[in-house]
Amino acid sequence: MTSSESPVPAGARRRITVLGENVADGFPVPGSGSGSAPGDGPGDAGGGLSLRVLPGGGPANTAVALGRLGTPVRFLGRLSDDVFGRLFRARLEASGVDLAGSPAAAEPSTLAVADLDAAGQASWSFHAEGTADWQWTAEELAAAPLDGTACVHTGSLALVRRPGGPRVEEWLEGLRDRATVSIDPNVRPLLVPPADYRAGLPRWCALADLLRLSEDDLAHLAPGTAPGQACDDWHAAGVRLVVVTLGARGVLASLDGRRVSVPAAPATVVDTVAAGDSFTAGLLHLLDGRGLLGGRLDRVTADDVADACRYAARVAALTCSVAGPNPPWAADLAAPAPPADGGGAHAPADGGGAGGPRGAVGRA
């Protein structure tokens, strides 16, 4: 079996439920912001900045990627009825994502504006105060449907932003007896102090069966700590499987202390937006396809982890090959991968970008 094949028929798969935020990702349009604005004629000094807005958000990207890969997936997110909220809903539904359990929210949607460097790596400014994504109530979470769910994936801002974050943690505690728990911290230091993530991490390791993070996340969560040592520390805190994407160096995974290394996947890199989110989706998709989700990962082997990481790296590479948060469809995975020794760059795992042979696997 190749890493791009689904190991079981789609009908045999169980659902993955993803909880978290949607974010409207704004990308400056080249040439705007320097004396022109939408609608200005040639030579008019409008002084505006044109943004191309795409639906994103780490957990939403993961749900979209899962749906496109063919995994039954439900997204739990508080969806505003503003123009961005309608954009989010349309994208999720078009990707095959079930939105039962996503409450309608009166608050506005979250907006993030990207600043892409020459290599295609994004830095973000967030407009997130009082927005819909962080206002989860205990009643909304209690009503969330979990029928047929083998795995719940969450993390990112929804797990640390108040007032909803602590309520999401309590909700996770109550469902561990029925589903595998996957967490991606996806540290956003411009919006939440890294110290807040570090304070939450021991609790998340006690809740999670799978912890997926990037090299950038590692630098914030365990400054100065080698990836292997960090994996051991987090195993001791309770999590069985830790997967760290390492940019051009590929992936390091640790299953109860047994290390697995996977090289980067080749790709032509446009930008790295949503690469990490797509990596997580690929990882969960393959484990789900082998019937390994639904408990504490007791039947997962190191070979399963290696296969899942290779598949996930390919999913992330394809995400890097197009602009914005646009994960691939299952049919895209059927095409041969680009050669590793020329003919394409390598998809950067933790950022990085276009041009020249590089390597990696995915940061959101």
Side-chain angles (χ1 to χ4, degrees), residues 187 189 193-199 201 213-227 229-231 233-234:
V187 178
D196 290 1
Y197 290 90
R198 291 193 290 270
L201 190 59
L213 66 156
S214 72
E215 190 171 33
D216 288 349
D217 294 330
L218 175 62
H220 291 297
L221 295 171
T225 304
Q229 181 60 57
C231 289
D233 293 344
W234 295 330

Side-chain angles (χ1 to χ4, degrees), residues 36-310:
S36 63
D40 287 344
D44 291 340
L49 174 68
S50 298
L51 292 178
R52 182 187 182 211
V53 177
L54 300 174
N61 292 335
T62 297
V64 165
L66 283 165
R68 293 180 180 186
L69 292 174
T71 296
V73 57
R74 174 173 289 153
F75 181 73
L76 304 178
R78 303 185 79 256
L79 294 173
S80 176
D81 193 38
D82 61 18
V83 63
F84 297 137
R86 295 191 292 274
L87 184 68
F88 301 150
R89 183 178 293 275
R91 179 211 195 196
L92 288 158
E93 290 178 338
S95 298
V97 179
D98 180 354
L99 293 179
S102 286
E107 302 86 0
S109 298
T110 303
L111 172 67
V113 179
D115 186 5
L116 295 177
D117 65 19
Q121 184 173 354
S123 58
W124 298 90
S125 61
F126 287 88
H127 307 268
E129 291 303 317
T131 53
D133 302 275
W134 335 120
Q135 313 304 321
W136 283 103
T137 67
E139 293 74 19
E140 288 171 339
L141 291 165
L146 292 173
D147 52 295
T149 294
C151 175
V152 172
H153 172 74
T154 188
S156 196
L157 295 166
L159 204 52
V160 291
R161 292 279 292 179
R162 293 180 178 272
R167 296 166 186 160
V168 172
E169 281 194 34
E170 292 177 9
W171 177 75
L172 288 174
E173 290 175 2
L175 58 81
R176 288 194 77 247
D177 61 343
R178 68 179 88 172
T180 301
V181 175
S182 167
I183 290 178
D184 177 358
N186 200 7
V187 178
R188 298 301 191 198
L190 294 180
L191 192 56
V192 176
D196 290 1
Y197 290 90
R198 291 193 290 270
L201 190 59
R203 301 192 303 273
W204 303 340
C205 287
L207 289 171
D209 303 289
L210 191 162
L211 182 72
R212 204 295 297 182
L213 66 156
S214 72
E215 190 171 33
D216 288 349
D217 294 330
L218 175 62
H220 291 297
L221 295 171
T225 304
Q229 181 60 57
C231 289
D232 290 339
D233 293 344
W234 295 330
H235 289 320
V239 65
R240 292 204 66 196
L241 176 58
V242 181
V243 180
V244 186
T245 54
L246 298 170
R249 293 178 288 135
V251 184
L252 172 69
S254 183
L255 178 66
D256 288 332
R258 184 172 180 182
R259 305 287 197 259
V260 174
S261 295
V262 171
T268 301
V269 179
V270 175
D271 66 41
T272 65
V273 177
D277 309 324
S278 297
F279 180 94
T280 300
L283 191 74
L284 295 175
H285 173 81
L286 191 130
L287 294 175
D288 178 58
R290 293 189 177 179
L292 297 171
L293 300 179
R296 305 281 71 85
L297 304 182
D298 297 324
R299 295 184 295 111
V300 175
T301 68
D303 286 343
D304 292 321
V305 172
D307 289 346
C309 287
R310 279 191 286 268

